[in-house]
Amino acid sequence: MKLDSRKLQILQAIINDYIITAEPVGSRTVARKYNLGISSATIRNEMSDLEEMGFLEQPHTSAGRVPSDKAYRLYVDRLMRIRELTDQEAEYVKRTYQEKIMQLEQVIFQTAKVLSDITDYTSIALAPQLNKVTIRHIQLVPVDKDFALLVVVTSSGILKDTLIRIPEGIDSDFLQKVSNILNDHFQGRTFDQIDIKDIAPIREVFARNQKFFNSLVDILTGRLRESQQKEVYLGGTTNIFNFPEYQDILRARSFLNLMEEKDLLYHILSRSNDGGVKVTIGTENPHEELKECSIVTATYSLGDRVLGTIGIIGPTRMEYSKAVSVMDYMGKALSTYLTRLFGE
Amino acid sequence: MKLDSRKLQILQAIINDYIITAEPVGSRTVARKYNLGISSATIRNEMSDLEEMGFLEQPHTSAGRVPSDKAYRLYVDRLMRIRELTDQEAEYVKRTYQEKIMQLEQVIFQTAKVLSDITDYTSIALAPQLNKVTIRHIQLVPVDKDFALLVVVTSSGILKDTLIRIPEGIDSDFLQKVSNILNDHFQGRTFDQIDIKDIAPIREVFARNQKFFNSLVDILTGRLRESQQKEVYLGGTTNIFNFPEYQDILRARSFLNLMEEKDLLYHILSRSNDGGVKVTIGTENPHEELKECSIVTATYSLGDRVLGTIGIIGPTRMEYSKAVSVMDYMGKALSTYLTRLFGE
DNA sequence: TTTAGCACTCAGCGCGGGAGAGTGCTAACA
DNA sequence: TGTTAGCACTCTCCCGCGCTGAGTGCTAAA
């Protein structure tokens, strides 16, 4: 059976209607609302065909039809018209990035907030992944006789710091010396490139302070990386209650539980980090709990290096045209902002 | 009318039962389950009295009775028996604090998690309030030619840091000089005690770099403080779905929306910072949205200085005996842990 | 190939009645 | 005088019923 242009028109009408109303769409509705110049009976026949082809589903006999994931996919790839941001929306984004926030966390957090405000979906933003950025500066800052602060600044302005206990008899000159060595070795590298073997030669500098040396290595190769990698910021989690399909308490609950699983979210989002906007519809996502959700992601970069991912998540009946344009716009706006702030 | 011991017994029975079942309690239930040696008819009479005295309420005729806020207050103050933590619970807490987490944020976050895990309520933890801690060390760390990092370490191990743009022609010697001056002036003080007037004499050191000077002051007196003050960590927000009174989607939604309002939560929690465990029942809390919730808070300290507040929030029908004991225990455990880590 | 007409299906809704839980009153009892 | 058994009454909850309306698929005619 061929998907001729009339079938496409009907399919598009059904998808449009269902996205707005969340109610199964019947042949009469299509005939009335969308002047296609054909009768409901003809539309009925076409809809029957579309169902057979897997684009439509029927919740039960005597209900209208609902688009399938396959239909949404077709819609996203071929049918939908990208809808530009309104002036207000663009203005809102601009205003957010006008403030000179110097802490990256804040920037990412704000981005998530803007995304959920504009789209009314739930937004997710991943902090930059450390294996994507290079180390710009390492410094051990003496705090008092027992503690020093290990600060690592990366090319994207990420700051990672930890208090570290220092053994007795270490003075600030020694700390400075260590800082210099660390900088010499690791400046310009990514965290992935920090290798135990590289570190070995430094070991001798530490003389009797092997324990101190070990904890430094520990932090640089392990802890900092982990703590950063799973940083997931959410916006508008309770927006989900706006959708009729989540009036059911069990569904809402399982959705919100899912949003608490930062590890999972991290994995879902970080799969798409090859740049550009990506749409994952319903069962295209391998996770069972997400089979009735769609996710639209975009990446953000510093210069030409992709740093991380931002995304929104909502019911499969999502306003894709808006979602895609917003994600595209925000990914670019965030990249521009970061490059301006931390550009190399 | 006097609240004799039999009335108290009956009231206690009703509260106990209602806490467990969430169902209005009838006279027959009390007679059957709690062997008080009196018939349901007598209990009925007493319940009628208790209602008149404001301790019980009736959702509608032909339903059992439900304890009022006044009843819970009486229960918390006079009737309940504190229930110690089980060995597993104590063990869980101990294990959590055994790990050497050096970042305060992590500690507070973990504390919130433990609280919600043990109690099955939603937990809230405030990061230490900056006006409660003293500045231990200030350091400007050079990053590259355009940026420096302003690091402030406080007595409780709180770290606040911001990237700050430095004007051209400032070298690391100058930064060190500034750091020294800042330390001389502010070490040992609280953020509240940083006064513009104190800073004025330093101004001359900056000579032509007034703009740099201004942004430093800005950060120290304003930005750092604000960013920290509102840091609110939540645990187990979706636990609310476990309670039958929150099966209603509107209620669940308004509760979860409330939990997103960090500012509000901050204010609610920070009211009780005079040490010890505090219980706020239903309408005792001025916030309309909380009139069917109870909050149990405790404070945590470093040495003898109260730093912040932790709390749990649940329906008024809360297991107060457990809640109070857990909060008491956790407040102390957290204080001990912090004092061990950052003790002065 | 399209359309009008028609029988059929099924979810949703409102209604009514029965069951069950609980109360308050009354009268009898210790 | 306090306590208890008995009973009528109330009210929510739940279940089943039938109606309505939206929508379909089929058939036959244009």
Side-chain angles (χ1 to χ4, degrees), chain B residues 283-296:
Chain B
T283 50
E284 292 175 6
N285 194 302
H287 294 276
E288 172 68 13
E289 303 93 327
L290 287 170
K291 69 175 197 288
E292 281 169 332
C293 293
S294 284
I295 301 176
V296 182

Side-chain angles (χ1 to χ4, degrees), chain A residues 103 137 161 238 242 253 257, chain B residues 103 142 161 238 242 253 257:
Chain A
Q103 276 166 296
H137 189 83
D161 41 33
T238 54
N242 291 329
R253 178 181 191 157
N257 277 334
Chain B
Q103 276 166 298
D161 42 31
T238 54
N242 292 328
R253 178 181 192 159
N257 278 333

